[in-house]
Each structure stands twice: as C-alpha cells, then as structure tokens.
Amino acid sequence: MTEELTYQIAFASIRGMNRLMADELLARVGDERRFFEASQSQLGAVMGAPNRIFDDRYRAELVERARREVEFVRNHSVKTLYFRSPDYPRRLTEAEDAPLMLYSLGPADLTAGHMLAIVGTRHATPYGCDFVRRLIEELHERLANPLTIVSGLAFGIDAAAHDAALKCGVPTVGVLAHGFQTIYPAQHRSMAASMVRGSGGLLTEYGHEAPIHKGNFVARNRIVAGLCDCLVVAESASKGGALITADLASGYSRDVFALPGRISDRYSAGCNALIASNTAGLITGADDLIRAMGWPEKDAAEVAQPSLFENLSEEEQAIIDYLTEHGEGQINVMTVALNRNIGRLMGQLIDMEFRKLILSYPGGKYRLA
C-alpha cells in the first residue's frame, strides 16, 4: 500500500499533468509503478514520441520526493485522495483541471450533502460579514440535508464564512494554497485547528515541502469552485480572486450568486458587475439560495422559531421599532427622533449591541442584527 501511494503521489506531481493526459498515459503504460520503473526509451516507444517527463533522473527525483511525502502523511494523519480512488470528491471529477492528488486533514465529508462556497474580498465590511453570518445561520436552521461551507481561509469574507460555520456547528473546509507544514495567514492557525478538530477540515493539492507561491492562490480557486454545488460572492472590488473563482465556478456549470451593494461602495463593485453581466444571480438571504437551488427544507415543526426580542424595555423597543421602519439609524438623528439624551441613547445602543440585538457600523450608524 505504501509503495502504491508513493507512485501515485509521484505520478500526480509530474509537471503539467492533467486528467486527460494521465488517463491516456496510464492506459498505455498500465499503472503508475510501471511508468516509473520503465526506462526512458521504453516510455518513448510506448507513447510514440519522446517527452521531458520520461527523463530517468526527473522521474527518480519525483519518486524520492514522494517517499518523503508518504512519511509525512503517515506521521500526521493526512488522508490522500487520488483521482482514481472512489473517495475522491465526486464534484471535482466534473472539472477537467482538478488536481490528481489531494491531501486532507480533518473528518469533513467532501461528497455528501450540500457544498456551498463563500468567497469575497480580504477587506470585508460589516455589511458583507453580517450577510455571511445570517446566510449560514439560516441555511443551517432550515435545510433538511447537511450543509458544508467551503472557502480559502484568507482574511475578510473567507474568515467570516469559516467563523460563522464554526459557531453554528456547520462543517467548514478551508482550501489551502500550500502544504500542511504551515498555515497562511498565521493569524488563522487557531481557526484552522478548530476546523480540523470539529466536523470540517483542510484541503490542499500541495505536498508539505511545497513553498508558498503567489500563483498557488489563484490555482487553489479552481478547487474551491469545483468542490461546491454553488458559490456565493459576498463582497468584491472590480478585480480580485473572488471574481476569478466565480468565473471558474460558472465554467464548471455551478450556480453563482452575488450580494448586491450600493454603486458607490468599492467592495460591492465586483458583485454588482457579476449580477449585471448575468454571471451571478442576486442574493439577499437564504430564501434566494434555497429557491434557486431547489434544496429541500426541514418540516416547519423542526425549525426553531425563537422570539427575536425578549425582555425589552419600552425605550429599547422604541429603538427596535425605529430601526425596523428605517432600515438603519444614525445616532444624532435618532436622539431627535426618539427624544432621547445622547448619552442615555449611546449606553442603550452599546448594551443592545452586546446582546446581539443590533449591529454598529462606521459613522455612528446602527442596524438590526
């Protein structure tokens, strides 16, 4: 088994290898071991033409590197997912450029239930983060089948999605652009550990010796896009990795959704463009996603219906009523509208935010949580 895995890892590491080429090569040679045990001239004869990947020294280096990878995998409880194995994620088999080998940490089931990818800018605003939190909470409460959240463990929207999933007890998978020897960004090591210890995990196509390279972050987007049933772009500027991922997902025939924003907001420009070009459907909450995807919901009796605002004073209820009617409130305007002393109102708003009844935004603005 160890030898078989060694040759699989080595074969998957061949520069420029894709699934179409791999299937053709293995059909002619027989299996991975024979590819590496054959001589350079034998491979050239079988394939009908010479190729750089047949070089004896190059193939020997791949095998030696693969042996070190097998040792790392065994010592760190890493699961390997080879493209010819039955446990390879079935959704990724639909993507022609999917990796031949994946490395997985954690108990996440990459084949069952609903897989939802959520991506966006690293410069997430409270608007985007609040939307992500609400979306995951509502889907978790309402969906009949298990939900898994997929993202890239980056700052901003990625982190908001992973964090919201962890708090709800929803499995969440972080797709890395490097091997398991490190976690980038380092600030997310604790989050990554929580994902692995919980019901989620980490996934990468890179061996533990692979260095962090800028190009890998773009390449990993195809895994995020291919692994999901649908993808949501929560916030994005007019250019960015989230738009690349959305384009990839669309190319894989995945449903793409985008959160609209004001035309003056820099980090809504990309989402608005996706919607305007019909690349993405407009999404404002769980209802839009459930309806578009046709995902079955729990019976009404199974869905908890808690009281949103309990034990409110008369003045607190007035704040809730104002925000419900106006959508948001600016503290100076609210002092006049509610006939309230600014110091007293400020204290009430802080207390209500602490109780997660409202959310604060830049400029002294507040909205319902």
Side-chain angles (χ1 to χ4, degrees), residues 282-311:
L282 186 150
I283 184 173
T284 59
D287 280 337
D288 299 324
L289 190 63
I290 292 172
R291 189 183 311 112
M293 296 301 297
W295 286 349
E297 295 188 63
K298 296 175 183 175
D299 294 334
E302 297 181 75
V303 181
Q305 298 290 342
S307 175
L308 293 179
F309 306 117
E310 298 179 354
N311 303 320

PDB file of all heavy atoms in Angstrom, residues 282-311:
ATOM      1  N   LEU A 282     -28.725  37.397  -8.157  1.00  0.00           N
ATOM      2  CA  LEU A 282     -28.767  38.279  -6.994  1.00  0.00           C
ATOM      3  C   LEU A 282     -29.220  37.498  -5.772  1.00  0.00           C
ATOM      4  O   LEU A 282     -30.179  36.726  -5.829  1.00  0.00           O
ATOM      5  CB  LEU A 282     -29.720  39.441  -7.277  1.00  0.00           C
ATOM      6  CG  LEU A 282     -29.807  40.559  -6.235  1.00  0.00           C
ATOM      7  CD1 LEU A 282     -30.161  41.880  -6.936  1.00  0.00           C
ATOM      8  CD2 LEU A 282     -30.842  40.251  -5.165  1.00  0.00           C
ATOM      9  N   ILE A 283     -28.514  37.690  -4.661  1.00  0.00           N
ATOM     10  CA  ILE A 283     -28.877  37.002  -3.428  1.00  0.00           C
ATOM     11  C   ILE A 283     -28.923  38.003  -2.284  1.00  0.00           C
ATOM     12  O   ILE A 283     -28.037  38.856  -2.152  1.00  0.00           O
ATOM     13  CB  ILE A 283     -27.889  35.858  -3.102  1.00  0.00           C
ATOM     14  CG1 ILE A 283     -28.338  35.090  -1.862  1.00  0.00           C
ATOM     15  CG2 ILE A 283     -26.470  36.368  -2.929  1.00  0.00           C
ATOM     16  CD1 ILE A 283     -27.523  33.838  -1.572  1.00  0.00           C
ATOM     17  N   THR A 284     -29.975  37.915  -1.476  1.00  0.00           N
ATOM     18  CA  THR A 284     -30.095  38.775  -0.300  1.00  0.00           C
ATOM     19  C   THR A 284     -30.215  37.955   0.981  1.00  0.00           C
ATOM     20  O   THR A 284     -30.169  38.511   2.067  1.00  0.00           O
ATOM     21  CB  THR A 284     -31.325  39.696  -0.421  1.00  0.00           C
ATOM     22  OG1 THR A 284     -32.502  38.897  -0.552  1.00  0.00           O
ATOM     23  CG2 THR A 284     -31.185  40.626  -1.622  1.00  0.00           C
ATOM     24  N   GLY A 285     -30.405  36.645   0.838  1.00  0.00           N
ATOM     25  CA  GLY A 285     -30.535  35.806   2.013  1.00  0.00           C
ATOM     26  C   GLY A 285     -30.772  34.358   1.645  1.00  0.00           C
ATOM     27  O   GLY A 285     -30.713  33.968   0.474  1.00  0.00           O
ATOM     28  N   ALA A 286     -31.066  33.557   2.661  1.00  0.00           N
ATOM     29  CA  ALA A 286     -31.231  32.112   2.467  1.00  0.00           C
ATOM     30  C   ALA A 286     -32.382  31.778   1.525  1.00  0.00           C
ATOM     31  O   ALA A 286     -32.301  30.810   0.761  1.00  0.00           O
ATOM     32  CB  ALA A 286     -31.440  31.435   3.818  1.00  0.00           C
ATOM     33  N   ASP A 287     -33.442  32.563   1.563  1.00  0.00           N
ATOM     34  CA  ASP A 287     -34.603  32.294   0.699  1.00  0.00           C
ATOM     35  C   ASP A 287     -34.198  32.217  -0.773  1.00  0.00           C
ATOM     36  O   ASP A 287     -34.621  31.317  -1.496  1.00  0.00           O
ATOM     37  CB  ASP A 287     -35.661  33.387   0.864  1.00  0.00           C
ATOM     38  CG  ASP A 287     -36.507  33.180   2.111  1.00  0.00           C
ATOM     39  OD1 ASP A 287     -36.583  32.023   2.574  1.00  0.00           O
ATOM     40  OD2 ASP A 287     -37.057  34.157   2.628  1.00  0.00           O
ATOM     41  N   ASP A 288     -33.390  33.185  -1.213  1.00  0.00           N
ATOM     42  CA  ASP A 288     -32.979  33.234  -2.614  1.00  0.00           C
ATOM     43  C   ASP A 288     -32.195  31.985  -3.003  1.00  0.00           C
ATOM     44  O   ASP A 288     -32.403  31.410  -4.081  1.00  0.00           O
ATOM     45  CB  ASP A 288     -32.118  34.478  -2.871  1.00  0.00           C
ATOM     46  CG  ASP A 288     -32.860  35.772  -2.602  1.00  0.00           C
ATOM     47  OD1 ASP A 288     -34.071  35.816  -2.879  1.00  0.00           O
ATOM     48  OD2 ASP A 288     -32.232  36.731  -2.124  1.00  0.00           O
ATOM     49  N   LEU A 289     -31.303  31.561  -2.133  1.00  0.00           N
ATOM     50  CA  LEU A 289     -30.453  30.402  -2.423  1.00  0.00           C
ATOM     51  C   LEU A 289     -31.262  29.106  -2.423  1.00  0.00           C
ATOM     52  O   LEU A 289     -31.141  28.287  -3.339  1.00  0.00           O
ATOM     53  CB  LEU A 289     -29.325  30.317  -1.391  1.00  0.00           C
ATOM     54  CG  LEU A 289     -28.212  29.305  -1.674  1.00  0.00           C
ATOM     55  CD1 LEU A 289     -27.482  29.664  -2.953  1.00  0.00           C
ATOM     56  CD2 LEU A 289     -27.240  29.237  -0.512  1.00  0.00           C
ATOM     57  N   ILE A 290     -32.088  28.925  -1.417  1.00  0.00           N
ATOM     58  CA  ILE A 290     -32.896  27.703  -1.314  1.00  0.00           C
ATOM     59  C   ILE A 290     -33.828  27.574  -2.512  1.00  0.00           C
ATOM     60  O   ILE A 290     -33.987  26.496  -3.091  1.00  0.00           O
ATOM     61  CB  ILE A 290     -33.693  27.708   0.008  1.00  0.00           C
ATOM     62  CG1 ILE A 290     -32.737  27.571   1.196  1.00  0.00           C
ATOM     63  CG2 ILE A 290     -34.725  26.582   0.018  1.00  0.00           C
ATOM     64  CD1 ILE A 290     -33.401  27.760   2.546  1.00  0.00           C
ATOM     65  N   ARG A 291     -34.443  28.691  -2.894  1.00  0.00           N
ATOM     66  CA  ARG A 291     -35.374  28.678  -4.023  1.00  0.00           C
ATOM     67  C   ARG A 291     -34.650  28.353  -5.326  1.00  0.00           C
ATOM     68  O   ARG A 291     -35.113  27.517  -6.119  1.00  0.00           O
ATOM     69  CB  ARG A 291     -36.071  30.037  -4.135  1.00  0.00           C
ATOM     70  CG  ARG A 291     -37.225  30.071  -5.143  1.00  0.00           C
ATOM     71  CD  ARG A 291     -37.822  31.459  -5.256  1.00  0.00           C
ATOM     72  NE  ARG A 291     -38.122  32.043  -3.969  1.00  0.00           N
ATOM     73  CZ  ARG A 291     -37.481  33.095  -3.453  1.00  0.00           C
ATOM     74  NH1 ARG A 291     -36.501  33.673  -4.122  1.00  0.00           N
ATOM     75  NH2 ARG A 291     -37.823  33.571  -2.280  1.00  0.00           N
ATOM     76  N   ALA A 292     -33.514  29.007  -5.558  1.00  0.00           N
ATOM     77  CA  ALA A 292     -32.784  28.816  -6.814  1.00  0.00           C
ATOM     78  C   ALA A 292     -32.207  27.409  -6.942  1.00  0.00           C
ATOM     79  O   ALA A 292     -32.205  26.823  -8.029  1.00  0.00           O
ATOM     80  CB  ALA A 292     -31.668  29.854  -6.926  1.00  0.00           C
ATOM     81  N   MET A 293     -31.718  26.862  -5.829  1.00  0.00           N
ATOM     82  CA  MET A 293     -31.084  25.546  -5.860  1.00  0.00           C
ATOM     83  C   MET A 293     -32.088  24.409  -5.713  1.00  0.00           C
ATOM     84  O   MET A 293     -31.764  23.250  -5.991  1.00  0.00           O
ATOM     85  CB  MET A 293     -30.035  25.444  -4.746  1.00  0.00           C
ATOM     86  CG  MET A 293     -28.866  26.410  -4.888  1.00  0.00           C
ATOM     87  SD  MET A 293     -27.954  26.193  -6.435  1.00  0.00           S
ATOM     88  CE  MET A 293     -27.327  24.526  -6.230  1.00  0.00           C
ATOM     89  N   GLY A 294     -33.291  24.726  -5.248  1.00  0.00           N
ATOM     90  CA  GLY A 294     -34.287  23.678  -5.036  1.00  0.00           C
ATOM     91  C   GLY A 294     -33.927  22.749  -3.896  1.00  0.00           C
ATOM     92  O   GLY A 294     -34.317  21.572  -3.882  1.00  0.00           O
ATOM     93  N   TRP A 295     -33.185  23.270  -2.910  1.00  0.00           N
ATOM     94  CA  TRP A 295     -32.767  22.444  -1.782  1.00  0.00           C
ATOM     95  C   TRP A 295     -33.950  22.209  -0.839  1.00  0.00           C
ATOM     96  O   TRP A 295     -34.668  23.157  -0.482  1.00  0.00           O
ATOM     97  CB  TRP A 295     -31.624  23.115  -1.031  1.00  0.00           C
ATOM     98  CG  TRP A 295     -30.316  23.034  -1.761  1.00  0.00           C
ATOM     99  CD1 TRP A 295     -30.028  22.275  -2.857  1.00  0.00           C
ATOM    100  CD2 TRP A 295     -29.107  23.750  -1.443  1.00  0.00           C
ATOM    101  NE1 TRP A 295     -28.715  22.446  -3.236  1.00  0.00           N
ATOM    102  CE2 TRP A 295     -28.119  23.346  -2.393  1.00  0.00           C
ATOM    103  CE3 TRP A 295     -28.758  24.660  -0.464  1.00  0.00           C
ATOM    104  CZ2 TRP A 295     -26.824  23.845  -2.378  1.00  0.00           C
ATOM    105  CZ3 TRP A 295     -27.456  25.158  -0.432  1.00  0.00           C
ATOM    106  CH2 TRP A 295     -26.497  24.751  -1.383  1.00  0.00           C
ATOM    107  N   PRO A 296     -34.189  20.972  -0.426  1.00  0.00           N
ATOM    108  CA  PRO A 296     -35.312  20.679   0.479  1.00  0.00           C
ATOM    109  C   PRO A 296     -35.096  21.266   1.871  1.00  0.00           C
ATOM    110  O   PRO A 296     -33.963  21.319   2.370  1.00  0.00           O
ATOM    111  CB  PRO A 296     -35.337  19.148   0.518  1.00  0.00           C
ATOM    112  CG  PRO A 296     -33.949  18.727   0.156  1.00  0.00           C
ATOM    113  CD  PRO A 296     -33.437  19.762  -0.803  1.00  0.00           C
ATOM    114  N   GLU A 297     -36.216  21.698   2.480  1.00  0.00           N
ATOM    115  CA  GLU A 297     -36.164  22.280   3.817  1.00  0.00           C
ATOM    116  C   GLU A 297     -36.726  21.316   4.853  1.00  0.00           C
ATOM    117  O   GLU A 297     -37.452  20.379   4.528  1.00  0.00           O
ATOM    118  CB  GLU A 297     -36.973  23.578   3.855  1.00  0.00           C
ATOM    119  CG  GLU A 297     -36.417  24.679   2.980  1.00  0.00           C
ATOM    120  CD  GLU A 297     -37.152  25.994   3.205  1.00  0.00           C
ATOM    121  OE1 GLU A 297     -37.097  26.520   4.333  1.00  0.00           O
ATOM    122  OE2 GLU A 297     -37.776  26.480   2.251  1.00  0.00           O
ATOM    123  N   LYS A 298     -36.393  21.562   6.093  1.00  0.00           N
ATOM    124  CA  LYS A 298     -36.946  20.800   7.197  1.00  0.00           C
ATOM    125  C   LYS A 298     -38.440  21.080   7.303  1.00  0.00           C
ATOM    126  O   LYS A 298     -38.926  22.106   6.832  1.00  0.00           O
ATOM    127  CB  LYS A 298     -36.274  21.207   8.513  1.00  0.00           C
ATOM    128  CG  LYS A 298     -34.798  20.918   8.597  1.00  0.00           C
ATOM    129  CD  LYS A 298     -34.233  21.470   9.896  1.00  0.00           C
ATOM    130  CE  LYS A 298     -32.725  21.254   9.984  1.00  0.00           C
ATOM    131  NZ  LYS A 298     -32.141  21.892  11.185  1.00  0.00           N
ATOM    132  N   ASP A 299     -39.161  20.178   7.948  1.00  0.00           N
ATOM    133  CA  ASP A 299     -40.562  20.436   8.243  1.00  0.00           C
ATOM    134  C   ASP A 299     -40.661  21.623   9.183  1.00  0.00           C
ATOM    135  O   ASP A 299     -39.745  21.874   9.988  1.00  0.00           O
ATOM    136  CB  ASP A 299     -41.207  19.209   8.906  1.00  0.00           C
ATOM    137  CG  ASP A 299     -41.281  18.026   7.960  1.00  0.00           C
ATOM    138  OD1 ASP A 299     -41.311  18.264   6.737  1.00  0.00           O
ATOM    139  OD2 ASP A 299     -41.291  16.875   8.440  1.00  0.00           O
ATOM    140  N   ALA A 300     -41.756  22.344   9.102  1.00  0.00           N
ATOM    141  CA  ALA A 300     -41.936  23.543   9.928  1.00  0.00           C
ATOM    142  C   ALA A 300     -41.748  23.239  11.409  1.00  0.00           C
ATOM    143  O   ALA A 300     -41.207  24.051  12.162  1.00  0.00           O
ATOM    144  CB  ALA A 300     -43.317  24.141   9.684  1.00  0.00           C
ATOM    145  N   ALA A 301     -42.157  22.063  11.833  1.00  0.00           N
ATOM    146  CA  ALA A 301     -42.052  21.702  13.252  1.00  0.00           C
ATOM    147  C   ALA A 301     -40.603  21.549  13.696  1.00  0.00           C
ATOM    148  O   ALA A 301     -40.285  21.672  14.882  1.00  0.00           O
ATOM    149  CB  ALA A 301     -42.809  20.402  13.509  1.00  0.00           C
ATOM    150  N   GLU A 302     -39.701  21.256  12.734  1.00  0.00           N
ATOM    151  CA  GLU A 302     -38.295  21.052  13.073  1.00  0.00           C
ATOM    152  C   GLU A 302     -37.524  22.349  13.179  1.00  0.00           C
ATOM    153  O   GLU A 302     -36.439  22.394  13.761  1.00  0.00           O
ATOM    154  CB  GLU A 302     -37.615  20.184  12.005  1.00  0.00           C
ATOM    155  CG  GLU A 302     -38.158  18.786  11.875  1.00  0.00           C
ATOM    156  CD  GLU A 302     -37.405  18.016  10.806  1.00  0.00           C
ATOM    157  OE1 GLU A 302     -36.254  17.608  11.073  1.00  0.00           O
ATOM    158  OE2 GLU A 302     -37.959  17.844   9.704  1.00  0.00           O
ATOM    159  N   VAL A 303     -38.041  23.413  12.578  1.00  0.00           N
ATOM    160  CA  VAL A 303     -37.330  24.687  12.561  1.00  0.00           C
ATOM    161  C   VAL A 303     -37.677  25.476  13.799  1.00  0.00           C
ATOM    162  O   VAL A 303     -38.853  25.781  14.045  1.00  0.00           O
ATOM    163  CB  VAL A 303     -37.694  25.513  11.302  1.00  0.00           C
ATOM    164  CG1 VAL A 303     -36.932  26.825  11.297  1.00  0.00           C
ATOM    165  CG2 VAL A 303     -37.395  24.701  10.055  1.00  0.00           C
ATOM    166  N   ALA A 304     -36.679  25.819  14.588  1.00  0.00           N
ATOM    167  CA  ALA A 304     -36.905  26.605  15.811  1.00  0.00           C
ATOM    168  C   ALA A 304     -37.377  27.992  15.445  1.00  0.00           C
ATOM    169  O   ALA A 304     -36.878  28.614  14.509  1.00  0.00           O
ATOM    170  CB  ALA A 304     -35.619  26.669  16.630  1.00  0.00           C
ATOM    171  N   GLN A 305     -38.338  28.474  16.205  1.00  0.00           N
ATOM    172  CA  GLN A 305     -38.870  29.816  15.971  1.00  0.00           C
ATOM    173  C   GLN A 305     -38.744  30.636  17.255  1.00  0.00           C
ATOM    174  O   GLN A 305     -39.716  30.917  17.941  1.00  0.00           O
ATOM    175  CB  GLN A 305     -40.344  29.729  15.545  1.00  0.00           C
ATOM    176  CG  GLN A 305     -40.578  28.980  14.258  1.00  0.00           C
ATOM    177  CD  GLN A 305     -40.069  29.729  13.044  1.00  0.00           C
ATOM    178  OE1 GLN A 305     -39.833  30.936  13.109  1.00  0.00           O
ATOM    179  NE2 GLN A 305     -39.908  29.037  11.940  1.00  0.00           N
ATOM    180  N   PRO A 306     -37.519  31.047  17.583  1.00  0.00           N
ATOM    181  CA  PRO A 306     -37.339  31.788  18.828  1.00  0.00           C
ATOM    182  C   PRO A 306     -37.883  33.205  18.726  1.00  0.00           C
ATOM    183  O   PRO A 306     -37.973  33.775  17.649  1.00  0.00           O
ATOM    184  CB  PRO A 306     -35.810  31.812  18.991  1.00  0.00           C
ATOM    185  CG  PRO A 306     -35.301  31.770  17.590  1.00  0.00           C
ATOM    186  CD  PRO A 306     -36.274  30.908  16.833  1.00  0.00           C
ATOM    187  N   SER A 307     -38.235  33.755  19.869  1.00  0.00           N
ATOM    188  CA  SER A 307     -38.629  35.160  19.906  1.00  0.00           C
ATOM    189  C   SER A 307     -37.394  36.013  19.710  1.00  0.00           C
ATOM    190  O   SER A 307     -36.378  35.829  20.385  1.00  0.00           O
ATOM    191  CB  SER A 307     -39.277  35.479  21.260  1.00  0.00           C
ATOM    192  OG  SER A 307     -39.562  36.851  21.361  1.00  0.00           O
ATOM    193  N   LEU A 308     -37.448  36.934  18.738  1.00  0.00           N
ATOM    194  CA  LEU A 308     -36.266  37.715  18.406  1.00  0.00           C
ATOM    195  C   LEU A 308     -35.899  38.708  19.493  1.00  0.00           C
ATOM    196  O   LEU A 308     -34.736  38.915  19.793  1.00  0.00           O
ATOM    197  CB  LEU A 308     -36.496  38.449  17.074  1.00  0.00           C
ATOM    198  CG  LEU A 308     -36.611  37.560  15.844  1.00  0.00           C
ATOM    199  CD1 LEU A 308     -36.870  38.414  14.611  1.00  0.00           C
ATOM    200  CD2 LEU A 308     -35.370  36.727  15.660  1.00  0.00           C
ATOM    201  N   PHE A 309     -36.877  39.362  20.070  1.00  0.00           N
ATOM    202  CA  PHE A 309     -36.589  40.439  21.006  1.00  0.00           C
ATOM    203  C   PHE A 309     -37.369  40.197  22.308  1.00  0.00           C
ATOM    204  O   PHE A 309     -38.556  40.501  22.404  1.00  0.00           O
ATOM    205  CB  PHE A 309     -36.985  41.792  20.404  1.00  0.00           C
ATOM    206  CG  PHE A 309     -36.369  42.034  19.057  1.00  0.00           C
ATOM    207  CD1 PHE A 309     -37.160  42.186  17.929  1.00  0.00           C
ATOM    208  CD2 PHE A 309     -34.996  42.100  18.906  1.00  0.00           C
ATOM    209  CE1 PHE A 309     -36.590  42.410  16.689  1.00  0.00           C
ATOM    210  CE2 PHE A 309     -34.413  42.317  17.675  1.00  0.00           C
ATOM    211  CZ  PHE A 309     -35.214  42.470  16.559  1.00  0.00           C
ATOM    212  N   GLU A 310     -36.687  39.614  23.284  1.00  0.00           N
ATOM    213  CA  GLU A 310     -37.317  39.314  24.554  1.00  0.00           C
ATOM    214  C   GLU A 310     -36.840  40.276  25.624  1.00  0.00           C
ATOM    215  O   GLU A 310     -35.709  40.758  25.594  1.00  0.00           O
ATOM    216  CB  GLU A 310     -37.010  37.870  24.964  1.00  0.00           C
ATOM    217  CG  GLU A 310     -37.553  36.834  23.986  1.00  0.00           C
ATOM    218  CD  GLU A 310     -37.211  35.417  24.398  1.00  0.00           C
ATOM    219  OE1 GLU A 310     -36.454  35.279  25.372  1.00  0.00           O
ATOM    220  OE2 GLU A 310     -37.697  34.476  23.761  1.00  0.00           O
ATOM    221  N   ASN A 311     -37.702  40.528  26.598  1.00  0.00           N
ATOM    222  CA  ASN A 311     -37.337  41.327  27.766  1.00  0.00           C
ATOM    223  C   ASN A 311     -36.807  42.708  27.397  1.00  0.00           C
ATOM    224  O   ASN A 311     -35.799  43.164  27.933  1.00  0.00           O
ATOM    225  CB  ASN A 311     -36.286  40.577  28.606  1.00  0.00           C
ATOM    226  CG  ASN A 311     -36.772  39.209  29.041  1.00  0.00           C
ATOM    227  OD1 ASN A 311     -37.936  39.049  29.398  1.00  0.00           O
ATOM    228  ND2 ASN A 311     -35.879  38.228  29.007  1.00  0.00           N
TER     229      ASN A 311
END
